[in-house]
Amino acid sequence: MNREQKRNLRKDKTLVKELFKIIQKYFPDFLDKFANLTDKRNSSYIKYSMKVICVTRLLGLLCGITEMVTLSDKFNVQNTINNISSMCKEKLNEIPYWETIQDVFMNLNINELRQLQKYIVKSLIRSKMFDKYKFDGAFQLIFDGTGLSHHDYNLNDNCLSRKSKDGNITYYKYVLECKLCVGSLVISLDTEFIENEEINNEKQKQDCETNAFKRMVKRIKKTYPKQKFLITGDALYATSPIISICKKYHWLYIFNLKPDRLKYINECFEGNISLENETIHKHYYLSTNIEYKNHILSAFKYIENEGYESQKNFRYISNILVNNNNIKEVVSLGRKRWKIENEGFYTQKHRTFCITHMCSRNDNALKCHYFFIQFAHTFRQLLEKGHSIVKELKLKLKEVSAFILESLTSKSPNLMEINLNFQLRFDD
């Protein structure tokens, strides 16, 4: 496709309309659910509905706008007002100012946003379009924590803290994410903030990723009681308590194995493969039926560029019955753990959404903005990786953001008459 053909194709399409079609087809009740969020404002001061406020914030993120002041500046045009009016089915003369959105987010119920997160994931699972990515009937979940911001003061009195050798204390905002990994997409399935409730002395333990994981998986099991999952995590998760949780919930797991952790398993593995490697595949090494604290597991590794200076070792443990027929696929699943960092956190930090930018210093509002980023990232991935126009134009992430913003602010398509007879198609 030459430049003129690209311009003509782009001229005939509005990505806002395509995004709206995706939401209406796969999540038909999503925007309406905004209207049901608990509104704690004084009714006499309400000018904009909850739906209008939430849709405005969501559209800003879909356009790649991360700063709240910029949101008001960019959206203050008639076409944007018309489009938001059409999406919300409300007559608007102007859009809510960024301070109005902030005031609402300070009092939103976080658990109600979790319900929206749950609705998105369950809708995608019910659509069955990702069933081809299951392994042995299980969807792959990737767990990892990341830092959102750091300060020289204890923001909202619940930050994790770290004291340096010179005695200075740095405070951190952390979050644990669980991503549903399907093909090239990583979709937020659950979120748990890692934070201290109240620490009165230095001897009290701080919150940590492991404790956040234990809180999170209880919620996941309750939300998806019959769904089979394959849990994937780094070496931090390769512990007996977490393996016991997977056993209790009948979940599969693949965890990274470091040579300096779980020394007993490493010694058994190296000793066993020195006598007999249980796979015939070159560069792969396997030992099954290793006993570890009442658990039976397999240990295996893949050596990339074996024998060269660039050689890399990938080691794992798993309760999957690993053998010659599936070891390459299982290793490939283990290596997908990097997707939560590259496709997930890196994109959200540096490419599109800037989750490290504090849109508010209020703790509740900060968390609300984080959830809205997860919603927007899911919708953007469906558009970017499943929609034919984005593939045809070979748009980069920033180009997609600019295209959405351009179509939102310069066009007013008829959103009441849209054809939902289309199918998203994803490359493996």
Side-chain angles (χ1 to χ4, degrees), residues 188-234:
S188 179
L189 181 137
D190 206 319
T191 299
E192 182 68 22
F193 293 94
I194 306 173
E195 55 192 14
N196 297 324
E197 292 184 0
E198 184 177 353
I199 293 184
N200 299 316
N201 58 70
E202 293 184 357
K203 293 183 179 180
Q204 285 184 264
K205 289 186 178 180
Q206 298 192 77
D207 196 11
C208 64
E209 187 173 330
T210 301
N211 288 336
F213 172 84
K214 292 175 181 178
R215 297 194 298 269
M216 178 186 279
V217 293
K218 287 181 181 179
R219 190 164 55 237
I220 291 174
K221 184 62 178 178
K222 184 177 180 180
T223 304
Y224 307 91
K226 297 181 180 180
Q227 185 64 57
K228 190 176 179 182
F229 289 122
L230 165 59
I231 308 302
T232 314
D234 58 25

Side-chain angles (χ1 to χ4, degrees), residues 82-94:
N82 293 341
N83 286 320
I84 294 177
S85 295
S86 183
M87 290 181 187
C88 297
K89 300 176 184 178
E90 297 182 29
K91 177 62 179 176
L92 299 172
N93 295 318
E94 54 185 359

Side-chain angles (χ1 to χ4, degrees), residues 136-181:
D136 192 21
F139 278 116
Q140 184 174 19
L141 302 185
I142 308 175
F143 291 80
D144 200 12
T146 191
L148 299 179
S149 61
H150 61 274
H151 324 269
D152 58 3
Y153 59 94
N154 194 355
L155 179 65
N156 299 306
D157 296 321
N158 60 8
C159 292
L160 303 184
S161 63
R162 189 180 303 158
K163 182 183 287 188
S164 63
K165 292 181 180 179
D166 58 11
N168 292 326
I169 300 177
T170 305
Y171 298 92
Y172 298 87
K173 302 294 288 187
Y174 267 89
V175 67
L176 174 65
E177 268 292 313
C178 170
K179 302 287 191 185
L180 172 67
C181 180

Side-chain angles (χ1 to χ4, degrees), residues 13 89 101 126 179 226 267 271 296 319 356 361 387:
K13 296 290 184 179
K89 300 176 184 178
I101 299 174
R126 282 197 298 268
K179 302 287 191 185
K226 297 181 180 180
E267 289 172 359
I296 304 295
N319 60 348
T356 56
R361 293 185 181 275
H387 201 292

Side-chain angles (χ1 to χ4, degrees), residues 8 244 338 344:
N8 292 333
S244 295
W338 65 268

Side-chain angles (χ1 to χ4, degrees), residues 9-22:
L9 180 60
R10 183 166 175 162
K11 190 184 301 181
D12 296 335
K13 296 290 184 179
T14 59
L15 282 195
V16 164
K17 187 172 183 177
E18 301 309 315
L19 268 170
F20 187 67
K21 286 166 60 176
I22 289 172

Side-chain angles (χ1 to χ4, degrees), residues 28 35 55 84 164 189 193 197 239 243 250 341 345 372 407 417:
V55 168
I84 294 177
S164 63
L189 181 137
F193 293 94
E197 292 184 0
T239 64
I243 291 173
H250 304 288
E341 295 178 357
F345 295 140
F372 270 72
S407 60
E417 296 181 5

